[in-house]
Coordinates of all heavy atoms in Angstrom, one line a residue:
Chain A
E136 N -16.6 6.7 -23.3 CA -17.4 6.6 -22.1 C -18.9 6.2 -22.4 O -19.5 5.3 -21.7 CB -17.4 7.9 -21.3 CG -17.8 7.9 -19.9 CD -16.9 7.0 -19.0 OE1 -15.9 6.6 -19.5 OE2 -17.3 6.8 -17.9
I137 N -19.4 6.8 -23.4 CA -20.8 6.5 -23.8 C -20.9 5.0 -24.2 O -21.8 4.3 -23.9 CB -21.2 7.4 -25.0 CG1 -21.2 8.8 -24.6 CG2 -22.6 7.0 -25.5 CD1 -22.5 9.4 -24.2
G138 N -19.9 4.5 -25.0 CA -19.9 3.1 -25.4 C -19.8 2.2 -24.3 O -20.5 1.2 -24.2
R139 N -19.0 2.6 -23.3 CA -18.8 1.7 -22.1 C -20.2 1.6 -21.4 O -20.6 0.5 -21.0 CB -17.7 2.2 -21.2 CG -17.3 1.3 -20.1 CD -16.4 2.0 -19.1 NE -17.0 3.1 -18.4 CZ -17.8 3.0 -17.4 NH1 -18.2 1.8 -17.0 NH2 -18.3 4.0 -16.9
L140 N -20.8 2.7 -21.2 CA -22.1 2.7 -20.5 C -23.2 1.9 -21.3 O -24.0 1.2 -20.7 CB -22.6 4.1 -20.3 CG -22.0 4.9 -19.1 CD1 -22.5 6.3 -19.1 CD2 -22.4 4.2 -17.8
F141 N -23.2 2.1 -22.6 CA -24.2 1.4 -23.4 C -24.0 -0.2 -23.3 O -24.9 -0.9 -23.4 CB -24.1 1.8 -24.9 CG -25.2 2.7 -25.3 CD1 -24.9 3.8 -26.1 CD2 -26.5 2.5 -25.0 CE1 -25.9 4.7 -26.5 CE2 -27.5 3.3 -25.4 CZ -27.2 4.4 -26.1
L142 N -22.7 -0.6 -23.2 CA -22.5 -2.0 -23.1 C -22.4 -2.6 -21.7 O -22.3 -3.8 -21.5 CB -21.2 -2.4 -23.9 CG -21.3 -2.1 -25.4 CD1 -20.0 -2.5 -26.1 CD2 -22.4 -3.0 -26.0
T143 N -22.6 -1.7 -20.7 CA -22.6 -2.2 -19.3 C -23.9 -1.9 -18.6 O -24.8 -2.7 -18.6 CB -21.4 -1.7 -18.5 OG1 -21.4 -0.3 -18.6 CG2 -20.1 -2.2 -19.0
D144 N -24.1 -0.6 -18.2 CA -25.2 -0.3 -17.4 C -26.5 -0.2 -18.2 O -27.6 -0.5 -17.7 CB -25.0 1.1 -16.8 CG -24.0 1.1 -15.7 OD1 -23.4 0.0 -15.5 OD2 -23.7 2.2 -15.1
H145 N -26.4 0.2 -19.5 CA -27.6 0.4 -20.3 C -27.7 -0.6 -21.4 O -28.2 -0.2 -22.5 CB -27.6 1.9 -20.8 CG -27.6 2.9 -19.7 ND1 -28.7 3.2 -19.0 CD2 -26.6 3.6 -19.2 CE1 -28.4 4.1 -18.1 NE2 -27.1 4.3 -18.2
L146 N -27.3 -1.8 -21.2 CA -27.3 -2.8 -22.3 C -28.7 -3.1 -22.7 O -29.0 -3.2 -23.9 CB -26.7 -4.1 -21.7 CG -26.4 -5.2 -22.8 CD1 -25.5 -4.6 -23.9 CD2 -25.9 -6.4 -22.2
L147 N -29.7 -3.1 -21.8 CA -31.1 -3.4 -22.2 C -31.6 -2.4 -23.2 O -32.2 -2.7 -24.2 CB -32.0 -3.5 -21.0 CG -33.4 -3.9 -21.3 CD1 -33.5 -5.3 -21.8 CD2 -34.3 -3.8 -20.0
A148 N -31.4 -1.1 -22.8 CA -31.8 0.0 -23.7 C -31.2 -0.1 -25.1 O -31.8 0.1 -26.1 CB -31.4 1.4 -23.1
F149 N -29.9 -0.5 -25.1 CA -29.2 -0.6 -26.4 C -29.8 -1.7 -27.2 O -30.1 -1.5 -28.4 CB -27.7 -1.0 -26.0 CG -26.8 -1.0 -27.2 CD1 -26.5 0.1 -27.9 CD2 -26.2 -2.2 -27.6 CE1 -25.7 0.1 -28.9 CE2 -25.4 -2.2 -28.7 CZ -25.1 -1.1 -29.4
E150 N -30.1 -2.9 -26.6 CA -30.7 -4.0 -27.3 C -32.1 -3.7 -27.8 O -32.5 -4.0 -28.9 CB -30.7 -5.3 -26.5 CG -29.3 -5.8 -26.1 CD -28.5 -6.2 -27.3 OE1 -29.1 -6.5 -28.3 OE2 -27.3 -6.1 -27.3
I151 N -32.9 -3.0 -26.9 CA -34.3 -2.7 -27.3 C -34.2 -1.7 -28.4 O -35.1 -1.8 -29.4 CB -35.0 -2.1 -26.1 CG1 -35.3 -3.2 -25.1 CG2 -36.3 -1.4 -26.5 CD1 -36.0 -2.7 -23.8
T152 N -33.3 -0.7 -28.4 CA -33.2 0.2 -29.5 C -33.0 -0.5 -30.8 O -33.6 -0.2 -31.9 CB -32.0 1.2 -29.3 OG1 -32.3 1.9 -28.1 CG2 -31.8 2.1 -30.4
S153 N -32.1 -1.5 -30.8 CA -31.9 -2.2 -32.1 C -33.1 -2.9 -32.6 O -33.4 -2.9 -33.8 CB -30.7 -3.2 -31.9 OG -31.1 -4.2 -31.0
I154 N -33.9 -3.5 -31.6 CA -35.2 -4.2 -32.1 C -36.1 -3.1 -32.6 O -36.8 -3.4 -33.6 CB -35.7 -4.9 -30.9 CG1 -34.8 -6.1 -30.5 CG2 -37.1 -5.5 -31.2 CD1 -35.2 -6.9 -29.3
Chain B
D59 N -26.1 9.4 -17.8 CA -27.3 8.7 -18.2 C -28.2 9.6 -19.1 O -28.9 9.0 -20.0 CB -28.1 8.3 -16.9 CG -27.3 7.4 -16.0 OD1 -26.2 7.0 -16.5 OD2 -27.7 7.2 -14.9
I62 N -27.2 9.2 -22.6 CA -27.6 7.9 -23.1 C -29.1 7.9 -23.5 O -29.5 7.5 -24.6 CB -27.4 6.8 -22.0 CG1 -25.9 6.7 -21.6 CG2 -28.0 5.5 -22.5 CD1 -25.1 5.9 -22.5
S66 N -30.9 7.4 -27.1 CA -32.1 6.5 -27.3 C -33.2 7.2 -28.0 O -33.9 6.7 -28.9 CB -32.5 5.8 -26.0 OG -31.4 5.3 -25.4

Side-chain angles (χ1 to χ4, degrees):
Chain A
E136 194 66 8
I137 299 262
R139 191 186 63 76
L140 279 176
F141 256 135
L142 292 179
T143 53
D144 292 0
H145 300 282
L146 187 61
L147 182 65
F149 188 66
E150 296 297 336
I151 289 178
T152 299
S153 64
I154 294 175
Chain B
D59 301 352
I62 300 278
S66 307

